[in-house]
Amino acid sequence: MDINFLDINIINTEENDTLLSFETTAIDAPRLIYNGGEDKFNNLLTSELHFNFLVKDNVDGQFFDLFTGSETKYKVQLIDSSVSGYPNIVWEGHLLAEQFLEPYKNGNFFVEFVATDGIGLLKNKDYPFAGKTSVLNVISRCLQITGLDLPILFSEGIKNSGFDLDYIDLLIDQDAYAAKDEDDTAEKIYDVLNYCLESIGCVLFQYKEAWHIVGLNKLKEHVLIYSKYILDENKDLVFDQ
């Protein structure tokens, strides 16, 4: 990315998408991190944004309101403002809900924040859906639990040589992820997401206002051909272009 200027938008999603005040950050911030795994065929590239705000007047608790128990109250957008009048969203997520911690010292200091794409938070949540639907729709439903309703850009890694395989029509039974009886437990959303990505040989990451699902065998290609899917009024995926 050739980016010269970055802005960070923090939006209160519970108050009509209110944009908070302008703040100053350190010269070496922000840091956008994509977390891979030890396995080179890892199917999930979760991401997080580390940044900070300057406290100029030594007032304790200046950003206390940004630390809440909500996982989705404050949306964070990393904006490419290199071209005046044409801002581009590079990444978005939500502020990590954690205990407020602010260093206290004389003079100016920075308060550290972390925003995540929310995928890691799916590890402790049971898969809530049932019935048959497409594998792409299952992936989309998992991702919607993060609080980010983004379109999906799909570049499949597996193609059938005998006939065209449209993954939006490839159905799976979501009941397989539900608890079978009172002594059983439902699959976690994070695990279901991983199962589906493994089954189609793809990796998932978020970039520029979309979830990208790319075949593992295509990661070294310089040009990718995507199919774009968006959410309809029922929050189901439909082909866009």
Side-chain angles (χ1 to χ4, degrees):
M1 294 183 294
D2 185 15
I3 298 176
N4 297 314
F5 299 99
L6 286 168
D7 288 324
I8 298 173
N9 288 346
I10 299 183
I11 301 167
N12 189 333
T13 62
E14 297 179 2
E15 296 182 5
N16 298 320
D17 290 343
T18 302
L19 188 65
L20 304 185
S21 61
F22 176 81
E23 304 293 343
T24 304
T25 188
I27 192 170
D28 61 346
R31 301 181 303 278
L32 179 58
I33 300 170
Y34 285 89
N35 301 303
E38 295 181 0
D39 184 354
K40 65 180 180 179
F41 298 118
N42 188 44
N43 298 100
L44 276 172
L45 291 180
T46 61
S47 52
E48 55 191 44
L49 178 69
H50 295 247
F51 62 101
N52 54 41
F53 286 156
L54 176 65
V55 175
K56 301 177 182 178
D57 49 15
N58 206 26
V59 175
D60 192 26
Q62 180 168 334
F63 299 110
F64 183 78
D65 58 310
L66 294 181
F67 292 83
T68 72
S70 171
E71 296 175 352
T72 57
K73 180 177 181 179
Y74 290 113
K75 178 182 288 187
V76 178
Q77 296 176 330
L78 182 63
I79 309 293
D80 174 10
S81 301
S82 300
V83 181
S84 178
Y86 296 92
N88 294 308
I89 298 177
V90 177
W91 179 92
E92 66 180 33
H94 291 96
L95 272 182
L96 191 63
E98 58 184 14
Q99 184 177 359
F100 176 76
L101 178 64
E102 185 176 273
Y104 187 83
K105 61 183 75 173
N106 293 329
N108 297 345
F109 60 91
F110 289 95
V111 180
E112 300 293 331
F113 297 91
V114 178
T116 76
D117 58 16
I119 292 178
L121 302 175
L122 305 179
K123 292 181 178 180
N124 299 318
K125 297 181 179 180
D126 293 341
Y127 191 76
F129 306 106
K132 292 184 178 181
T133 190
S134 74
V135 62
L136 290 184
N137 211 35
V138 171
I139 292 173
S140 174
R141 289 179 177 181
C142 292
L143 295 174
Q144 289 173 49
I145 305 297
T146 67
L148 301 175
D149 292 341
L150 300 174
I152 284 179
L153 297 180
F154 180 51
S155 182
E156 72 272 21
I158 303 173
K159 286 192 174 183
N160 192 295
S161 59
F163 58 90
D164 290 333
L165 176 64
D166 193 338
Y167 283 87
I168 201 65
D169 296 324
L170 182 60
L171 300 183
I172 60 176
D173 190 354
Q174 298 174 102
D175 294 340
Y177 306 131
K180 307 302 184 293
D181 52 53
E182 59 182 14
D183 297 325
D184 193 15
T185 56
E187 296 279 3
K188 301 303 181 184
I189 298 175
Y190 182 90
D191 293 329
V192 173
L193 182 58
N194 245 325
Y195 297 155
C196 292
L197 291 169
E198 287 177 1
S199 69
I200 60 176
C202 289
V203 62
L204 168 76
F205 58 92
Q206 189 224 128
Y207 179 62
K208 286 195 173 181
E209 297 187 87
W211 295 109
H212 295 247
I213 302 176
V214 180
L216 288 166
N217 58 338
K218 289 190 172 183
L219 292 179
K220 291 186 177 181
E221 295 187 10
H222 296 292
V223 178
L224 292 175
I225 298 176
Y226 283 104
S227 296
K228 183 179 180 181
Y229 297 90
I230 59 175
L231 298 175
D232 65 11
E233 62 276 6
N234 297 318
K235 295 296 183 74
D236 288 327
L237 280 186
V238 293
F239 179 74
D240 183 52
Q241 59 181 355

